[in-house]
Amino acid sequence: MDSTEGHRLVHLDLKGAPPKISYYEKLFPLLHQLGATGLLVEYEDMFPYSGELEVLACKDAYRKDEIEKFKSLAETNNLLVMPLVQTFGHFEFVLKHDKFRHLREVPNYPMALCPALEESFKLVCDMIGQVVELHPGLPWFHIGADEVFHMGVCDKCKSKKLHDIYLVYIKKLALHLRKQYPGMRPVMWDDVYRGWPLELLQGSGIGDLVEPMVWNYNRTLHFPPGIWERYSSVFDNIWFASAFKGATGSAMYLTDFGYHCDNHLSWLAVMKEEKARLKTIRGVALTGWQRYDHYAVLCEILPVSIPCLALCLQTLVNGSFTPDIHQNVSQALHFKDLIPCNPFLVTEDVLCGDFPGSAIYKLLHILLKMNAEYEDFLKDDRLNGWMTPFHIKHGFTNPVHIEHVMCGATRVLENLRQILARLQQELPVVFYQSMVEEWLEINVISKVKQMEEIVKNCTKQIAIGGRIADYEGVEESMNECT
């Protein structure tokens, strides 16, 4: 099987867990070494918007000088930069603000803006303008426009056909960009019009204005019948998008390489089969989603996914995945053994890689083991049979069983505290404090607090010593139940 032609763009989804610029100093040389040719950069609220747009930038947003450093590092490592700014759907980071709430298509939902409002169009153009100003001479600019779940709802739009709403807005935006920035070609996700008939696509004129990026993150790729015939008739240039992380569950924190390897092998099969039909395949964007939307929890953070990304890149470079590729990439990342394909079957002795963020990679695999012990403890028969909220409320407990619960709870709590302390040291090396606090609160601290409460209750119940501290309350409650 032939290797991929054209570009191999690594998607940096910066919403929620943006690395510090210092991390890119170590990462970008590795990406170049592994075969990446560029970066698809989704800044979201990490871009230093200013003026009327200043509210869009989060407190940790990169400064302008940091953007310049980012670009310089990319250029040094021969990585082109394609910025991505959402312009229609997935607009939560904009529409969550009171200042722009009136631009929502659905007043109570912040995902999609109303395309019929001139202010919506101006806002999007201003956002793109500020990004382009810091990235002059771009060959491509990604305008997003995927998963526009709310169209034709507001009073201005509800009488129109959905495809007309979408096409009028996208064509207006694409024409503006082509005129305002000569030489810069708009790229966009394809899912909204993926199933449209050929006559509608051809009659829309969209093929002369944008380059579609066809995305599919499944192990086995399924598309509407005739999609490649339609796209080859409408578009001269096309991109594909796979996934190296962020596509197997909104709350996943470890990356399943086996799944993502299958996704890339499926894409290679499509490219081989359709190469003669499609006019120009620009390349592949390896997406790495950080949140499923602006409000979702963080899924796999970037350092945890570097081994998977490395293997996926080399799979595309070589056109296949072989034992030799697995071995070579494992050695390049300084693993003692082969990079584990299944994160749920990993033992600590193989976690010896040395790559940007490898300390975090190791700790999260250890956390997986700690979480398994935590989940097993919560299913403990004595905990659920002799230490229910009812027992604790009335002090109606048997110390023989509570001491057993206490022993298990103390062990789990100590393990969680140890991993928490180590993560509190390593995460800030790569990430900003706001991300560190969020990730730890959701994934570790909440469990620590729960175990602390159990230990506290055990201590109290053991001190009671099996005496009925509130016999009348127990008797009354039992009578109510019967």
Side-chain angles (χ1 to χ4, degrees), residues 148-309:
V148 187
F149 297 125
H150 304 117
M151 285 192 292
V153 178
C154 76
D155 290 339
K156 290 181 176 292
C157 298
K158 62 184 180 182
S159 62
K160 304 173 184 176
K161 295 180 179 179
L162 296 186
H163 59 75
D164 286 339
I165 293 172
Y166 189 80
L167 283 172
V168 168
Y169 177 73
I170 291 300
K171 288 177 62 177
K172 181 179 180 181
L173 179 59
L175 284 167
H176 168 79
L177 297 183
R178 297 288 288 257
K179 180 179 179 180
Q180 189 73 18
Y181 311 106
M184 187 180 81
R185 296 175 291 281
V187 178
M188 65 182 299
W189 303 118
D190 81 303
D191 55 288
V192 172
Y193 50 85
R194 187 175 293 178
W196 289 4
L198 176 61
E199 295 75 17
L200 178 57
L201 285 173
Q202 286 180 325
S204 72
I206 194 174
D208 298 326
L209 299 174
V210 303
E211 298 182 3
M213 184 173 280
V214 185
W215 60 273
N216 194 310
Y217 311 142
N218 296 320
R219 282 184 182 271
T220 303
L221 308 186
H222 296 287
F223 293 100
I227 181 175
W228 306 120
E229 291 88 343
R230 293 194 300 277
Y231 279 3
S232 64
S233 299
V234 175
F235 300 105
D236 289 334
N237 305 294
I238 194 168
W239 297 80
F240 298 134
S242 58
F244 72 90
K245 79 177 189 78
T248 57
S250 60
M252 288 283 288
Y253 61 86
L254 291 176
T255 304
D256 184 348
F257 166 66
Y259 179 96
H260 294 289
C261 178
D262 287 345
N263 173 246
H264 284 81
L265 292 174
S266 294
W267 267 118
L268 284 168
V270 168
M271 284 182 270
K272 180 181 181 181
E273 184 175 347
E274 302 300 334
K275 180 179 178 181
R277 187 196 313 272
L278 298 171
K279 296 173 183 176
T280 302
I281 300 175
R282 292 288 198 189
V284 180
L286 296 86
T287 63
W289 300 101
Q290 195 52 79
R291 299 187 194 269
Y292 275 31
D293 71 20
H294 185 74
Y295 294 92
V297 298
L298 296 167
C299 44
E300 309 107 287
I301 53 180
L302 186 56
V304 174
S305 304
I306 295 303
C308 183
L309 172 58

Side-chain angles (χ1 to χ4, degrees), residues 26 28 35 39 51 75 145 159 163 191 230-231 286 305 316 327 342 345 351 415 426 428 444:
K26 303 173 183 177
F28 287 0
L39 307 165
E75 183 178 3
S159 62
H163 59 75
D191 55 288
R230 293 194 300 277
Y231 279 3
L286 296 86
S305 304
L316 292 180
Q327 181 68 45
N342 188 334
L345 300 177
L351 295 176
N415 287 337
E426 294 297 338
V444 188

Side-chain angles (χ1 to χ4, degrees), residues 113-154:
L113 56 69
C114 173
L117 298 174
E118 190 61 32
E119 189 177 347
S120 295
F121 183 74
K122 181 181 183 305
L123 169 63
V124 167
C125 291
D126 289 346
M127 291 170 61
I128 293 175
Q130 291 197 15
V131 175
V132 173
E133 184 178 1
L134 289 189
H135 297 81
L138 290 170
W140 293 283
F141 192 99
H142 203 304
I143 60 173
D146 61 316
E147 298 183 329
V148 187
F149 297 125
H150 304 117
M151 285 192 292
V153 178
C154 76

Side-chain angles (χ1 to χ4, degrees), residues 394-409:
H394 298 292
F396 189 63
T397 54
N398 185 338
V400 171
H401 298 294
I402 301 305
E403 287 176 0
H404 175 90
V405 174
M406 178 73 160
C407 181

Side-chain angles (χ1 to χ4, degrees), residues 12 41 56 104 138 160 199 250 279 288 314 332 341 349 371 383 398 401 429 444 456 470:
L12 298 176
V41 186
L56 302 182
R104 297 178 178 186
L138 290 170
K160 304 173 184 176
E199 295 75 17
S250 60
K279 296 173 183 176
Q314 279 293 291
C341 291
D349 60 325
N371 279 337
L383 175 66
N398 185 338
H401 298 294
V429 175
V444 188
K456 176 183 175 182
D470 184 13

